[in-house]
Each structure stands twice: as structure tokens, then as C-alpha cells.
Amino acid sequence: MGRKVIEKNMYIEQGYKGNHDSWRYLVGVLLIFVGWQVIGMIPLMVALVVKSIGSGTMPMDIGGMSELLGSNMFLFLMLLSFAFGLLATFITVKFLHKQTIVALTTSRSKIDWKRVFYAFGIWAVITLVILGIDVFLSPADYELNFKLGPFLILCAISIFFIPLQTSFEEYFMRGYLMQGIGLLAGNRWIPLVITSLIFGLLHLFNPEVEKLGYGIMVYYIGTGFFLGIITLMDKGLELAIGFHAANNLLTALLVTADWTAFQTESIYRDVSEPVLGWDVFVPVLVIYPILIYVFSKKYGWSNWKERLSGKVMSKEEFLSLEENGVNL
């Protein structure tokens, strides 16, 4: 007789493969925050101070900082802080938790890069189609902004640093916090809700919120839930990493506006009057559910209730199953 396969969502339980005391996660969050928002912000702050000496003013808003430093330089220095955050996350996991990066990333034996590129590709295609349709239907809303030299510099900065930025957010939110909160709570729905809300609230001070109002938080929090759901259902971060990288990279390269967090030397500039419209709610209510369905069919997802809201198994049960060679 064949060995019985126990179908469990083992992603959160990967935290058991390292030191998972509650105090370690509290210290870890502090260390990651220092790496990201303190050490990582030093180059940007130094550049702003040096540049402001000549101008006599220190801008505090994204638009002002981008204008003072130049959009490409500002983007580089802003993204650099996320690279420091990612490095701080990896160092914290390796030395404070004694956990491998693979265990933080996925329940599989190794990182599945095909999943990363599949999610990247499918969202890149959807983004290009949606933007193409919108430019065709509303050409007055877009202004051609293409300048070869600055755009090539933007490409170099974006292709290298934006995946680091989005990977940091995924490893910190859907990885480190998802596993830590999940082990503490003993179930899956609490870390899903908390990390999705934190992800949304971290965008609260984006200039988009000031222009469009708090209704846009539906998009940010909804995106957090989407990324959390595909992480738990797929037992790893790969799909979320690929999707997030495509979303931010294509946004930076294709279209910018004076009121967005990414103000870049993109191909198009959105010159329309910012309003909270269908483009905010359609992704959350229509496109994300369709993507979840597509992923579920491709990767054979099942046991939705268990994977999204079931209990996290105990460390003893987890280690026992691993020692007995159960297919997890």
C-alpha cells in the first residue's frame, strides 16, 4: 500500500525550523526596522541635506524631494533603503532565528523560481493590456514623457532595485510576520488579517491617499489580502514575490503622475484629474479573484478552509511528521 499523504499547509510551520521564541520576533522586527528606516535612509537624508544647503529649503514631501534630487536619483536612494531592509531581514533570520532563507520563503525543498516568473509574467501582461486599453480610450489623460537617456537610467535602477524593494515587503510581511504571528496565534486567519492590514496601513501616508481619499485603502488592504491568500494557498512566497515585482516595476517604467509615490522618468505621465474610480476597485473585486482562480487551477490548490483559517500544527507534530518522512 502507498504511504498516506497528509495534506497540510506547512508554510507557517517553517518557522519551527529556526528559533521561534516570541521575544526573537519582537527583537527581529526592531532590527529590521532599524535596517530599513534608520540605516537605509541615511544616504537619502545626506543627499537631501547636501542639496538643500544650496537651495535653502528642505522639502518634506515626495514631489519636493524628487524635484530637488532629480527623479532618478531620488528613486535610487528611496529604493536603497528597501535593499537595506531586505538585508536586515536575511541577517535577522539567519543569525537571530537560525532559520534558512529557503524555510522563510517556501515549504518546498527549494525556491521555485518558475512560480516567481509565472506570476511576474501573467501580471505584466495584464498590466500592459489594461494600460494599453486606457491610453487608447482616454488619450487626453496621458502625456508622452519618453526621454531616452533618463529612461535608460530609470530602467537600470528599476530592474535591479525594485525587485529588492518588493521582495523585502514580501519577506517581511508575508514571510517573517506571517510565520511569527501564525506560530504565536496558533491559526492561519489571524496572521492573514493582521499582515494584510499592516501592509495596507503602511501605504497610509502615500501621496495617493491625500489625493484620492481613504477609499484607496480598499485597494492597498485588498492587495495585502490577495498576496496573503496566494502565499497560504501555495505554501510559499514565490507567487507573491513575482506578482509584486511586476506590479511595481511596470508602474515605474510605464506611467507616473505628480501625485503618486513613484515619480519617475516613465514612458507616460498621467495628467488626468485624480479621482477615486473603478480602477481602484476592479483589481480587488474582479481581477484578483480571477487570478486566484487561475493559480488554483494551475497549482491544484485544495482544502481552502484549512489553508486559510485552520490551526497551525504544534512543533511536536510538525517534527514528528518530518521525522517519519510524511509528504508535507
Side-chain angles (χ1 to χ4, degrees):
M1 293 180 64
R3 186 175 59 197
K4 182 180 179 181
V5 176
I6 298 179
E7 227 296 330
K8 289 280 188 179
N9 182 319
M10 301 301 295
Y11 177 66
I12 289 178
E13 286 86 344
Q14 296 303 305
Y16 288 137
K17 292 184 176 180
N19 297 326
H20 56 279
D21 313 83
S22 299
W23 69 265
R24 293 181 189 272
Y25 282 100
L26 293 174
V27 172
V29 168
L30 178 60
L31 292 175
I32 293 168
F33 182 83
V34 169
W36 170 34
Q37 286 292 298
V38 179
I39 298 175
M41 293 298 289
I42 290 175
L44 176 59
M45 291 298 103
V46 170
L48 287 171
V49 169
V50 171
K51 279 286 188 178
S52 65
I53 291 175
S55 65
T57 59
M58 170 69 84
M60 300 304 295
D61 62 293
I62 289 178
M65 288 186 280
S66 180
E67 183 177 353
L68 179 66
L69 298 177
S71 61
N72 279 333
M73 178 58 71
F74 172 69
L75 180 67
F76 165 70
L77 293 173
M78 181 181 69
L79 293 176
L80 188 62
S81 68
F82 290 92
F84 276 98
L86 182 62
L87 179 62
T89 302
F90 287 166
I91 290 174
T92 297
V93 168
K94 181 176 177 60
F95 294 103
L96 181 62
H97 294 272
K98 308 296 183 181
Q99 183 188 18
T100 66
I101 302 304
V102 172
L104 180 67
T105 308
T106 184
S107 61
R108 288 167 275 276
S109 60
K110 59 182 180 180
I111 298 172
D112 188 347
W113 290 103
K114 289 183 179 179
R115 277 173 153 86
V116 175
F117 290 118
Y118 178 75
F120 182 98
I122 196 171
W123 189 243
V125 169
I126 291 173
T127 299
L128 288 169
V129 169
I130 292 176
L131 177 62
I133 292 173
D134 200 36
V135 171
F136 178 77
L137 295 177
S138 307
D141 291 344
Y142 295 91
E143 178 183 279
L144 188 63
N145 186 57
F146 181 74
K147 297 183 285 288
L148 180 60
F151 181 74
L152 290 177
I153 296 173
L154 170 66
C155 285
I157 294 170
S158 300
I159 290 171
F160 184 79
F161 282 98
I162 285 180
L164 297 181
Q165 176 237 334
T166 54
S167 292
F168 164 65
E169 293 185 9
E170 292 310 311
Y171 273 107
F172 182 51
M173 292 289 168
R174 258 68 61 178
Y176 191 75
L177 292 182
M178 182 79 80
Q179 288 185 357
I181 297 171
L183 295 181
L184 179 63
N187 61 50
R188 309 186 194 288
W189 71 266
I190 288 180
L192 173 60
V193 171
I194 291 178
T195 57
S196 300
L197 290 175
I198 292 175
F199 180 78
L201 292 174
L202 283 177
H203 294 82
L204 188 61
F205 299 104
N206 278 18
E208 293 93 331
V209 177
E210 180 181 349
K211 283 290 183 180
L212 300 175
Y214 291 111
I216 197 176
M217 296 304 295
V218 171
Y219 170 75
Y220 290 128
I221 295 174
T223 300
F225 272 102
F226 165 71
L227 293 169
I229 288 169
I230 63 176
T231 295
L232 290 178
M233 289 305 302
D234 200 50
K235 307 179 184 181
L237 291 174
E238 292 98 333
L239 294 178
I241 288 173
F243 171 92
H244 203 163
N247 185 75
N248 287 26
L249 180 60
L250 269 294
T251 298
L253 295 178
L254 295 178
V255 61
T256 189
D258 294 334
W259 46 271
T260 60
F262 273 180
Q263 297 185 19
T264 66
E265 298 288 348
S266 57
I267 295 175
Y268 286 103
R269 180 174 296 276
D270 185 345
V271 294
S272 64
E273 183 65 26
V275 293
L276 191 67
W278 65 269
D279 52 328
V280 171
F281 299 102
V282 167
V284 175
L285 301 178
V286 179
I287 300 178
Y288 291 169
I290 292 175
L291 270 180
I292 290 173
Y293 176 78
V294 170
F295 289 148
S296 72
K297 290 300 181 182
K298 181 173 178 60
Y299 298 112
W301 294 348
S302 59
N303 295 343
W304 291 73
K305 183 178 179 180
E306 171 67 19
R307 294 192 189 190
L308 296 179
S309 62
K311 291 183 178 180
V312 173
M313 67 175 62
S314 67
K315 181 178 181 180
E316 291 72 22
E317 183 182 6
F318 172 75
L319 295 178
S320 175
L321 291 174
E322 281 211 322
E323 289 172 1
N324 292 326
V326 175
N327 184 356
L328 301 174

